[in-house]
Amino acid sequence: MSLSLSAEQPATPDVATDGVWLECIECGDTFAPFDDVRYTCDECDGLLEVRYEDLPTFDDFEGHGVWRYAAALPFESGVSIQEGSTPLYEVPRLEDEIGVEALRIKHEGMNPTGSFKDRGMTVGVKVAEELGVGRLACASTGNTSAALAAYGSRGGMETLVLLPAGKVAAGKIAQASLHDARILEVDGNFDACLDIVQELAAKGEVYLLNSLNPFRLEGQKTIGLEILEAFLADYDTVPDRIVLPVGNAGNTSALYKAFRELVQAGELDEDDVPKLTGVQAEGAAPMVEAIENDADEVRRWDDVETRATAIRIGNPVNAPKALPGIRETGGTAVAVSDEEITDAQRSLAAEGIGVEPASAASVAGLRKLRADGVVDDDERVACLTTGHLLKDPDAAAAAGGDPEPVPADTDGVLEHLQQ
Ligand code: F0G
């Protein structure tokens, strides 16, 4: 199977352009990368992956941000707003409380539009330029729409976003709006939005920039590459485990691909690949269900609900790429309650790290897996926090304390403080 850590590097097909091609993960059919617009396999509708004749080595990486990893990407540069190079925070109190050898927080909320989506968009919008397509579009729980709007604007392209009405956090809509996306509020959930935008794309109305687009995931690989480089610098070893929130499972797929490519290049030992550990909200946990049942396919959940609106997703389109990633790396998946998510959001805030609810799911999941003994006390772990606190100001205010009204004089303030 092509999605295995022990897969051999395939021979370069004739359709390759500058050593880059697209390959179906199901039937292995190959396609030229930039001749036509294509999101899935013409033959079997399977998901596509970008393949390279030359695999990257650590020595190839130079510079800053996502484009430091150009050797692992289809281009030398993209439509950029200086994405990537996000902090990998130490969290000594949380590390102690959870009880692992090392815990670091990769805060993707520190990207230009406040989420990891920027890493995918800098590549995806570049491909759109290359293909010469007109209007860019996505379905979104919010962050993808903010990133698409910003990167589309940066590239001088028109953008259209489909959002589930009433279920997108305020900061994200504000971003899409100011960056001038045309915003359609759909009377349905995210999965319905994605169905529609896929049909619009199939009709040639829009260029799709959801994570179904294989080029988006190329950019998101750089999260994994940054984590590995930082751990090698700080601990002289890669992390034992990477814990991340899962919605469409794009990041899970992207990190797995980054590691597979390093293994194929002889840069990373197969046994050292970090255990990919996905976390979903209890009300939207189809991936967890598939892992727990050892199922080959994920069952679509029609009714999903969680406070972590970013991952309120019932049909993770990248599951065929992500399930092997979790299994082959020896990882797992776990569901957490909204209360556990908010508790983790507060714990991160107490270390000075402000994240939106979906992001805190990773820490909530780690806490649970450690308590259950699935994660050992000698593990070095990286948790991904995917979006910034300001994305969802309402959730942050609800999780924090309330402002207290006081009179406009010092005595009144002092009196209030003594109460
Ligand atoms: N965390 C945040 C903050 C997200 O916005 C998303 C996805 C995820 C995690 C899940 O990532 O899909 O790679 O598993 N948000 C998409 C959006 C769906 O439209 O913004 P995944």
Side-chain angles (χ1 to χ4, degrees):
M1 184 169 107
S2 67
L3 296 192
S4 144
L5 282 170
S6 50
E8 298 282 313
Q9 164 72 343
T12 305
D14 291 342
V15 293
T17 304
D18 296 333
V20 179
W21 69 97
L22 290 170
E23 191 170 303
C24 174
I25 66 162
E26 304 291 348
C27 73
D29 224 5
T30 56
F31 304 95
F34 312 118
D35 291 6
D36 292 308
V37 174
R38 171 182 291 109
Y39 311 101
T40 54
C41 177
D42 295 8
E43 292 302 317
C44 74
D45 209 31
L47 296 176
L48 299 175
E49 275 199 333
V50 182
R51 299 248 182 270
Y52 303 91
E53 183 169 290
D54 296 320
L55 292 169
T57 65
F58 283 113
D59 285 345
D60 294 330
F61 303 147
E62 55 178 7
H64 196 71
V66 164
W67 295 99
R68 168 178 175 77
Y69 303 99
L73 300 173
F75 306 102
E76 283 302 306
S77 63
V79 175
S80 175
I81 325 175
Q82 299 187 20
E83 50 292 317
S85 290
T86 53
L88 185 69
Y89 294 120
E90 291 178 350
V91 279
R93 289 190 292 270
L94 255 178
E95 181 181 276
D96 237 33
E97 179 241 308
I98 292 177
V100 285
E101 172 72 22
L103 175 60
R104 302 288 288 269
I105 304 295
K106 181 68 171 167
H107 193 11
E108 286 297 296
M110 301 299 277
N111 274 296
T113 77
S115 87
F116 67 91
K117 306 285 179 180
D118 298 350
R119 295 181 186 263
M121 286 302 168
T122 184
V123 179
V125 175
K126 168 78 177 175
V127 175
E129 254 184 14
E130 200 77 8
L131 289 165
V133 293
R135 183 163 49 185
L136 314 182
C138 69
S140 182
T141 55
N143 283 322
T144 306
S145 71
L148 179 68
Y151 282 79
S153 292
R154 186 81 182 172
M157 284 174 253
E158 205 185 317
T159 55
L160 174 72
V161 304
L162 280 77
L163 308 180
K167 296 294 182 182
V168 177
K172 306 173 188 182
I173 300 187
Q175 289 178 290
S177 170
L178 186 62
H179 289 300
D180 206 21
R182 186 157 178 198
I183 304 172
L184 305 185
E185 284 192 332
V186 176
D187 181 18
N189 62 22
F190 167 83
D191 304 295
C193 295
L194 188 56
D195 288 345
I196 296 168
V197 85
Q198 273 185 260
E199 282 162 27
L200 293 177
K203 290 179 190 299
E205 290 287 327
V206 299
Y207 182 64
L208 178 84
L209 274 166
N210 280 98
S211 56
L212 193 63
N213 185 318
F215 293 105
R216 271 260 323 264
L217 299 187
E218 291 307 290
Q220 290 170 212
K221 286 190 310 192
T222 62
I223 302 172
L225 297 173
E226 282 182 17
I227 293 175
L228 256 50
E229 283 199 308
F231 266 72
L232 284 167
D234 291 353
Y235 307 107
D236 211 22
T237 174
V238 301
D240 298 300
R241 188 181 297 273
I242 297 181
V243 187
L244 71 169
V246 173
N248 263 323
N251 272 336
T252 316
S253 310
L255 264 60
Y256 181 45
K257 185 167 192 281
F259 302 151
R260 257 187 295 138
E261 287 174 352
L262 288 173
V263 169
Q264 281 177 359
E267 291 287 287
L268 178 64
D269 196 293
E270 204 179 309
D271 299 330
D272 292 341
V273 171
K275 297 177 170 63
L276 285 172
T277 302
V279 187
Q280 294 193 299
E282 278 174 356
M287 284 282 291
V288 176
E289 181 183 70
I291 290 289
E292 282 177 354
N293 295 343
D294 209 15
D296 289 337
E297 283 180 16
V298 168
R299 181 178 68 90
R300 178 176 178 141
W301 288 23
D302 287 324
D303 294 313
V304 280
E305 203 49 83
T306 167
R307 190 179 293 165
T309 52
I311 51 172
R312 187 175 168 274
I313 294 174
N315 185 32
V317 287
N318 288 299
K321 293 177 173 177
L323 286 174
I326 291 173
R327 291 185 175 131
E328 286 257 321
T329 61
T332 188
V334 65
V336 291
S337 69
D338 279 4
E339 289 65 37
E340 288 167 328
I341 287 174
T342 302
D343 278 350
Q345 198 184 10
R346 290 195 189 104
S347 303
L348 284 161
E351 302 251 22
I353 301 171
V355 307
E356 67 165 292
S359 301
S362 59
V363 170
L366 174 66
R367 191 177 254 158
K368 190 166 192 168
L369 291 170
R370 179 71 196 98
D372 292 348
V374 176
V375 172
D376 290 330
D377 60 1
D378 62 354
E379 290 192 30
R380 292 194 177 94
V381 182
C383 278
L384 216 64
T385 55
T386 40
H388 198 277
L389 175 154
L390 293 172
K391 289 284 194 172
D392 193 343
D394 297 327
D402 292 328
E404 302 161 46
V406 291
D409 64 85
T410 309
D411 287 344
V413 168
L414 280 172
E415 198 179 313
H416 179 86
L417 287 175
Q418 274 150 17
Q419 281 169 17

